[in-house]
Amino acid sequence: MREFGYQRADDVSGAVALLAADPDARFLGGGTNLVDLMKTGVERPGRLVDVRELPLDGIEPTSDGGLRIGATVTNSDLAAHPEVRRRYPALTQAVLAGASGQLRNMATVGGNLLQRTRCGYFTDLSKPCNKRAPGSGCSAIKGEHHNHAVLGASDHCVAVHPSDMGVALAAFDAVVDYETLDGPGELPLADFYLPVGDTPHRETALPPGALITGVTLPPAAVAARSRYRKVRERASYAFAIGSVAAALDVEDGVVREARLAFGAVASRPWRARAAEAVLTGASADGETFAAAADAELAAARPLPDNGYKVTLMRNLVVAVLTELAEEAAR
């Protein structure tokens, strides 16, 4: 492991200035992903700027009825917050489905959004990986790829984003707030992650040196009736092979509004816009739910060993939406 310097930031502007003064530095929150990558040599920062003690650990209502979540809020505190549980239950469920209790106690909201893929070739320095070493190739395409992308991938990378939390945030139109030397800015989560294209090493649209300061959830009445469902290869402490965040507003058997996002199928949390379009205004029944899933998954381009994900996601969408519709009918 490369030797590195360490400095604790006193305020947001000071943290941003420290990183601007040292292009070899990285922000450190909980460290649950970054430190692991430093141990394997994938990440080799010369300095860590600790932002954990910055005053960014609150969860507060916004003036329009949404919620603002500070970047250093731990995953455990986020999942336990009463307003998150009441207004965005799928977010609580997504966070609790990720990692172990010990890791959730350390991991932060900002860090969760920036975590890197768990593709084995990305963390294996002996293998080519365009995300780690641009232009070297993608070993997964002809190698082990059973848990890789079926949507939005390219010939340059088929890795998936590992975040559970990000999937729920995508369903609810979250906005990422950040700070740079030029002042504050924001990015809708829909624009935060870049398409993989031919530059898989460029993962987000954050300006260079930007510090994530929080995430804002706009008001969404439909989110109060929401659910997150994760499929994994063992019962706990495992990354998803497919997941769904869904919310449904049903009146008189007709879908008035739907929110749907997929996880573990693309390089970023995947908002299922085509499926939402099929659902809105249609009957809340299994036939509609299957048609919605098929509309979204029509764009799937599976590899030889991960085609099962298309069937898995179709069944998962139908099951979760059916449960939500049945609850609405009670």
Side-chain angles (χ1 to χ4, degrees), residues 11 14 119 213 261 271 273 275 282:
D11 52 45
C119 174
T213 55
R271 182 69 178 272
R273 301 280 187 186

Side-chain angles (χ1 to χ4, degrees), residues 157-175:
C157 182
V158 293
V160 297
H161 197 274
S163 176
D164 293 291
M165 182 188 78
V167 182
L169 291 177
F172 302 139
D173 295 321
V175 175

Side-chain angles (χ1 to χ4, degrees), residues 232-312:
R232 44 194 162 187
E233 292 178 330
R234 60 177 185 266
S236 65
Y237 195 32
F239 294 101
I241 56 174
S243 66
V244 169
L248 209 59
D249 179 14
V250 178
E251 184 175 348
D252 297 328
V254 175
V255 177
R256 295 199 306 175
E257 185 179 359
R259 301 288 184 92
L260 205 59
F262 298 167
V265 295
S267 62
R268 60 193 190 276
W270 187 269
R271 182 69 178 272
R273 301 280 187 186
E276 291 176 354
V278 171
L279 290 167
T280 305
S283 298
D285 56 35
E287 185 176 346
T288 296
F289 302 155
D294 289 341
E296 194 65 46
L297 294 166
R301 297 293 181 267
L303 295 165
D305 298 331
N306 68 355
Y308 74 93
K309 283 195 173 189
V310 178
T311 303
L312 183 153

Side-chain angles (χ1 to χ4, degrees), residues 121 139-149 158 303-306 308-309:
Y121 298 108
S139 297
I141 291 176
K142 293 186 178 180
E144 171 56 53
H145 55 247
H146 85 283
N147 193 24
H148 285 60
V158 293
L303 295 165
D305 298 331
N306 68 355
Y308 74 93
K309 283 195 173 189

Side-chain angles (χ1 to χ4, degrees), residues 2 4-9 15-16 18-29 31 33-35 37-38 41-52 110-111 113-116 122 201 203-204 206 209-211:
R2 177 189 179 187
F4 59 90
Y6 171 88
Q7 193 162 356
R8 181 173 292 170
V16 173
L18 284 171
L19 206 73
D22 185 354
D24 201 24
R26 293 286 304 276
F27 291 126
L28 174 70
N33 183 214
L34 175 60
V35 173
L37 293 176
M38 290 171 65
V42 174
E43 295 277 6
R44 297 175 58 83
R47 178 182 303 274
L48 295 180
V49 177
D50 191 336
V51 298
R52 189 62 178 264
L113 292 175
L114 293 175
Q115 64 182 300
R116 311 295 300 278
F122 173 71
H201 59 289
E203 296 178 346
T204 78
L206 273 178
L211 170 67

Side-chain angles (χ1 to χ4, degrees), residues 10 23 66 101 205 227 302:
D10 297 322
R227 181 160 299 171

Side-chain angles (χ1 to χ4, degrees), residues 126 184-185 219 239 316:
S126 69
F239 294 101
L316 193 57

